[in-house]
Amino acid sequence: MSGKWNLAGTYFETCNCDVACPCVFLSAPSTGECTALVGWHVDKGSSGDVSLDGLNVALAVHSPGTMVTSKWKVAMYFDNKASAEQKDALMRIFTGQAGGHPAVLVSFVGEVLGTSSVGIDYKAEGKRRSLKIDGVVDAQIEAMSGAGGSDVTISGHPLCIAPGFPATVAKSKKLSYNDHGMSWELSDMNGFYSPFVYQGG
């Protein structure tokens, strides 16, 4: 499968760094290493004539140091609601084979620990975002309140999941992850969310 593709939707991430994560400014992680969970929900998307509407993808990341100079270990999770054609398209896109911004992100990856088809429960409600995979992930964040109750945002940061969109700064209610020999139990740490648009082909 090849040709033009595009995705638009919402994403969020949460990690073990203090709010707001220094990694997005190319600095070292707060604790010297970074453990992050990223989730995407595709509102509207296609690859060739294959619709990708409504599907979810998640990525667990471990970086042993500064994210732009240390190779990441990652595990990838694809929505089990996807058909074989849809899963193939999502894998091509999110493993960087189809170009676009995902290929930039994948350039930092040193090892893929595994890929799985799983049930992914992604929710975006007001100032809250959450993602659950039974037995693997429970991630929940909530936007911080800025001056006058407005959202706190970061724009133009050099390391970002969703270029072109300000990232809303959030704090985790919970980040629980257990898979591939990695186990994280965190709360009150960094989170970001925003829309995203990717395209290629």
Side-chain angles (χ1 to χ4, degrees):
M1 187 185 304
S2 60
K4 291 186 177 181
W5 61 271
N6 59 83
L7 303 177
T10 63
Y11 108 95
F12 82 90
E13 62 183 290
T14 182
C15 69
N16 65 320
C17 285
D18 296 331
V19 180
C21 174
C23 300
V24 301
F25 302 109
L26 312 185
S27 297
S30 297
T31 65
E33 64 176 1
C34 191
T35 53
L37 190 285
V38 185
W40 293 266
H41 175 75
V42 180
D43 289 318
K44 190 75 177 173
S46 62
S47 178
D49 58 0
V50 177
S51 171
L52 301 173
D53 296 3
L55 296 175
N56 302 301
V57 176
L59 179 72
V61 179
H62 175 260
S63 174
T66 303
M67 297 196 80
V68 292
T69 57
S70 301
K71 286 299 184 181
W72 308 349
K73 291 183 178 181
V74 303
M76 309 187 76
Y77 301 89
F78 296 94
D79 202 323
N80 64 6
K81 297 192 302 291
S83 67
E85 280 189 316
Q86 289 173 321
K87 181 184 175 186
D88 180 64
L90 288 174
M91 286 191 70
R92 286 188 65 258
I93 291 168
F94 282 93
T95 58
Q97 299 174 55
H101 189 63
V104 175
L105 298 175
V106 169
S107 71
F108 298 111
V109 174
E111 182 181 358
V112 177
L113 300 173
T115 61
S116 306
S117 291
V118 293
I120 302 175
D121 180 14
Y122 182 110
K123 291 181 180 176
E125 300 169 332
K127 294 180 179 293
R128 296 182 179 183
R129 302 290 183 270
S130 67
L131 187 146
K132 294 184 181 181
I133 299 172
D134 282 348
V136 178
V137 175
D138 185 354
Q140 304 169 36
I141 67 171
E142 184 172 355
M144 298 187 69
S145 291
S150 62
D151 287 341
V152 180
T153 61
I154 297 174
S155 298
H157 40 305
L159 178 63
C160 61
I161 300 294
F165 294 95
T168 298
V169 179
K171 184 177 282 191
S172 61
K173 297 291 187 181
K174 183 177 188 179
L175 170 54
S176 175
Y177 177 81
N178 200 324
D179 206 4
H180 299 288
M182 297 187 291
S183 183
W184 318 330
E185 295 291 339
L186 306 168
S187 61
D188 295 320
M189 306 310 288
N190 183 73
F192 293 125
Y193 68 78
S194 78
F196 78 93
V197 173
Y198 300 154
Q199 59 189 3

